[in-house]
Amino acid sequence: MSAVPASTVLHPVSKRRKRKDVIMRASLAAATALALVPLVLVLWYVAGRGIGAWSWHFFSTDPTGSFLGDPGGIRSAIVGTIMMVALATVISVPIGIGVALYLTEYGKESWFAKAVRYFVDVMTGVPSIVFGLFIYIVLILGGFGGGGYAGWKGSIALALLMLPVVTRSAEVVLLLVPQTLRESALALGSPRWRLIAKVVLPTALPGLVTGSLLAVARAAGETAPLLFTAAIVNGTSFNLGQRMNSLPVQIFTDVGQAQDRLVARAWGAALTLVILVLLLTLIARYMSRRSRLT
Amino acid sequence: MAASATTVSRSGDHPGLRGSPLSRLPDRALRIALTVLAAGILALIAFFFIRLYVEARPAFTKFGVLGFTFDNNWDVSRNVFGALPLVVGTLITSAVALIIGVPVAIAAALFVTELCPTRARGPLTVMLDLLAAVPSVVYGLWGVFVLIPKLKPAEQWVTDTLHFIPFIGGAAVAGPNYFIGGLILAIMILPIVSAITREVMATVPSDHKEAALALGATRWEMIRTAFLPYSRAGITGAAMLGLGRAIGETIAVTLVIGNAPQIGKHLFDQGYTLAAVIANEFGEAANNPVHRAALIAAGLVLFVLTLLVNAAARAFVVRGQHGDRAAAEPTGVAVA
């Protein structure tokens, strides 16, 4: 770094201090390695035990509900997860981005915007099972739409969970859109809605997609809010108006039964779920890296 | 930034540039729509709180708020619901998670931001964040079939060796127990705590670091004297956000805690947590109004606890970011 060796200006660092430095640096490195051990172990076991459960039969049949005979596969769980998460995305992404637009384009630092921002953060901290309870109370106890468990009710619970993630990440990205870009569009006489639609949103698009994908990944892995909103069902269920199966809930119930064949199915389903979630996360990361804003 | 924003809107209102009233209609509509959307969030949370409270009230009136929260008796068959074993279980597992998870998370954040080679920084960051991408239920599955059996001999050795220490020593190890629950929680809060710690540390001015190094400090001394004091508030906030997560985390804990509504006397005893009891018993409680109300009350206690912890955490993190970066709070992309 410097042309003059440090020792010519300063006292040499004492042996004791040098030793402490090396020890501390080594232990920080060791702690980092330690932090990564569980990731490696989890992926190792899920891959090892999951792949053994995979077969054509595994992906092409539905759970039968049989404990002794053939337990069936996870087709309805995959379909249920995709359908419920898709509906949750359709609900939460426009609302989340809309709220973020309000915060960045209109509310800014007003007390109302600050309150909204604060409560969006509050929502981030709400445990997912509490969202499940809430939807149960409002949509099932309340007898809404038939009063039973249904896929779309699960979607709404997931949407509540995704909403704060989408909003906060969208706000961060929208704030990165250069202020000069906004100013030049307004100076050219563009109305604000056109500025938002033609300049702000397109510029921020990759970042918005990133945030939404991370929310999708999070929702896809959630079990708790689905337990008593969409429940679990054996056999085929491709209808959002009916009870619906999902990968996380399928894994949860199979673990609870602790029967060899059901446990094998749980590992297979876990591998499927992990691949799905990791793919979404990595795509999101890739997109955020390609975005010109960040 | 705020100043330039006002100039913009003012020039937009300049009479010479104003469009016809008709062309300004969509503008007003958009503004109103977005404001309504934002107000909807506040309404939703108010509604949320009220509905939970109303449904939980039968339990509170029957047992009293304090009676419900601090009575050590959760017995479904006798229709008696005191949540103390659950509260204690939640606190013990969260404490274990913080004791194990936070130091490792901070160390990892320090290593990644300051010590590791620049080339390794990106991949290491991604891997740390990927810990957060593994679904809760998968950690639970792994906990049940790998962690519990593999760790049991080690736990038995610890409890035999440290038999003189109350709470840790001298018990027979139950397969599922507080410690396993806390350990899994530690893994699950690690990525959030380290991500936020990293963000807070990124705000340490390089002047401070350079000044420390110029005074002849070693790397570690630089970290201790320039980094840690500067980011203390932020790190505290990060740890508390981790605590908020640990309190509310449900499925993984449900699978490895044992689900016994008792106050365990040892770290390796079975227990229960607020979140786990809801996940486990809610399905069967649908036909028993008192049981259902008790579980919703447990949810309300959980909600209020996480609210308090998160509010405190936010205050610390915002303070820890020292003004200029406070606008970009770290609850967005990094946490997700």
Side-chain angles (χ1 to χ4, degrees):
Chain A
M1 229 199 279
S2 58
V4 190
S7 54
T8 58
V9 190
L10 301 165
H11 288 293
V13 175
S14 73
K15 273 227 175 74
R16 192 179 55 79
R17 286 172 59 204
K18 208 175 257 168
R19 205 180 315 128
K20 188 167 188 192
D21 182 49
V22 170
I23 290 172
M24 289 316 292
R25 284 160 70 168
S27 41
L28 289 183
T32 312
L34 184 69
L36 296 175
V37 167
L39 180 71
V40 174
L41 283 182
V42 168
L43 295 182
W44 173 260
Y45 276 100
V46 168
R49 300 199 179 177
I51 204 85
W54 276 17
S55 65
W56 173 243
H57 178 74
F58 182 73
F59 289 108
S60 62
T61 55
D62 297 320
T64 57
S66 161
F67 292 119
L68 302 171
D70 172 27
I74 59 165
R75 184 176 62 157
S76 71
I78 296 175
V79 174
T81 288
I82 292 174
M83 285 177 74
M84 284 194 285
V85 172
L87 178 60
T89 309
V90 170
I91 299 169
S92 65
V93 167
I95 299 181
I97 292 178
V99 173
L101 273 177
Y102 170 79
L103 292 175
T104 54
E105 308 300 312
Y106 294 107
K108 297 197 170 95
E109 292 303 311
S110 68
W111 68 266
F112 180 65
K114 279 185 177 155
V116 171
R117 213 170 273 133
Y118 183 81
F119 281 102
V120 168
D121 277 352
V122 164
M123 276 181 87
T124 320
V126 173
S128 61
I129 191 140
V130 177
F131 284 122
L133 271 185
F134 176 64
I135 293 302
Y136 177 88
I137 290 170
V138 175
L139 295 182
I140 294 172
L141 274 189
F144 212 84
Y149 295 139
W152 67 271
K153 296 178 183 178
S155 295
I156 294 186
L158 293 180
L160 285 180
L161 194 89
M162 294 169 70
L163 189 60
V165 182
V166 176
T167 307
R168 294 299 279 145
S169 61
E171 196 197 350
V172 172
V173 175
L174 290 172
L175 279 175
L176 291 174
V177 175
Q179 196 61 29
T180 47
L181 217 56
R182 292 190 177 86
E183 285 166 8
S184 37
L186 287 175
L188 288 169
S190 161
R192 209 164 253 273
W193 67 269
R194 194 188 289 242
L195 158 72
I196 289 172
K198 295 272 161 90
V199 178
V200 175
L201 285 180
T203 315
L205 188 66
L208 296 176
V209 175
T210 299
S212 306
L213 277 178
L214 286 174
V216 170
R218 185 173 167 203
E222 272 293 341
T223 320
L226 297 178
L227 279 179
F228 26 83
T229 52
I232 182 159
V233 60
N234 295 309
T236 308
S237 64
F238 296 165
N239 183 345
L240 282 166
Q242 305 282 323
R243 284 170 168 243
M244 243 188 169
N245 204 356
S246 60
L247 282 169
V249 176
Q250 181 75 55
I251 298 168
F252 182 64
T253 38
D254 282 350
V255 176
Q257 307 293 353
Q259 281 243 1
D260 284 352
R261 304 179 78 168
L262 298 182
V263 170
R265 180 168 68 188
W267 283 105
L271 180 58
T272 316
L273 182 62
V274 164
I275 288 176
L276 183 76
V277 172
L278 286 189
L279 268 183
L280 284 168
T281 312
L282 290 175
I283 294 172
R285 291 199 156 268
Y286 178 71
M287 292 207 58
S288 81
R289 189 155 314 159
R290 290 202 44 191
S291 158
R292 273 172 301 149
L293 289 175
T294 48
Chain B
M1 198 135 107
S4 67
T6 39
T7 0
V8 170
S9 65
R10 214 175 275 152
S11 67
D13 287 343
H14 192 277
L17 290 173
R18 200 183 278 165
S20 68
L22 201 64
S23 74
R24 291 204 314 150
L25 202 65
D27 243 8
R28 189 169 294 172
L30 182 64
R31 183 188 185 112
I32 292 172
L34 291 180
T35 312
V36 167
L37 219 51
I41 297 265
L42 299 186
L44 182 74
I45 289 176
F47 182 56
F48 193 97
F49 193 78
I50 293 167
R51 285 297 285 163
L52 275 181
Y53 178 73
V54 168
E55 292 300 325
R57 213 166 48 181
F60 289 134
T61 46
K62 185 150 187 242
F63 306 107
V65 175
L66 292 180
F68 175 78
T69 316
F70 296 111
D71 187 68
N72 179 15
N73 208 342
W74 184 277
D75 190 339
V76 178
S77 60
R78 289 195 298 123
N79 227 12
V80 176
F81 301 102
L84 190 63
L86 318 171
V87 174
V88 170
T90 306
L91 294 180
I92 293 177
T93 47
S94 305
V96 172
L98 288 186
I99 291 169
I100 299 174
V102 170
V104 177
I106 295 173
L110 274 173
F111 182 76
V112 170
T113 37
E114 273 310 303
L115 296 181
C116 81
T118 331
R119 296 238 313 272
R121 189 175 293 167
L124 275 178
T125 312
V126 171
M127 283 179 74
L128 282 172
D129 287 350
L130 279 187
L131 274 173
V134 176
S136 168
V137 70
V138 174
Y139 279 122
L141 173 74
W142 176 70
V144 170
F145 293 107
V146 180
L147 213 50
I148 289 181
K150 298 240 155 151
L151 281 187
K152 196 162 178 180
E155 291 170 330
Q156 193 62 56
W157 181 82
V158 167
T159 187
D160 289 345
T161 318
L162 302 176
H163 56 86
F164 48 88
I165 302 179
F167 187 65
I168 292 181
V173 172
N177 60 47
Y178 288 131
F179 174 74
I180 298 276
L183 186 60
I184 293 222
L185 284 177
I187 298 169
M188 297 184 73
I189 66 170
L190 206 150
I192 318 155
V193 178
S194 93
I196 295 173
T197 307
R198 273 201 317 267
E199 292 203 24
V200 171
M201 283 175 180
T203 67
V204 176
S206 44
D207 299 1
H208 288 216
K209 294 185 256 175
E210 281 156 20
L213 290 175
L215 286 171
T218 61
R219 288 302 271 276
W220 165 247
E221 284 162 348
M222 180 271 280
I223 288 173
R224 213 195 57 215
T225 55
F227 252 78
L228 293 180
Y230 194 89
S231 35
R232 186 177 296 140
I235 293 175
T236 313
M240 293 188 76
L241 276 177
L243 175 63
R245 277 287 157 96
I247 289 174
E249 172 45 49
T250 311
I251 294 299
V253 180
T254 307
L255 287 170
V256 300
I257 192 81
N259 300 328
Q262 59 182 23
I263 299 180
K265 298 201 169 39
H266 296 277
L267 185 60
F268 302 115
D269 278 347
Q270 297 191 34
Y272 223 154
T273 67
L274 285 164
V277 84
I278 305 169
N280 257 332
E281 296 184 1
F282 205 79
E284 70 198 57
N287 301 319
N288 178 348
V290 182
H291 192 190
R292 192 176 64 206
L295 291 174
I296 295 174
L300 193 63
V301 172
L302 191 64
F303 182 43
V304 172
L305 263 180
T306 48
L307 271 190
L308 294 176
V309 170
N310 281 304
R314 259 179 59 86
F316 274 113
V317 171
V318 171
R319 196 148 62 88
Q321 294 211 328
H322 297 274
D324 52 326
R325 295 228 340 169
E329 279 148 33
T331 17
V333 180
V335 179

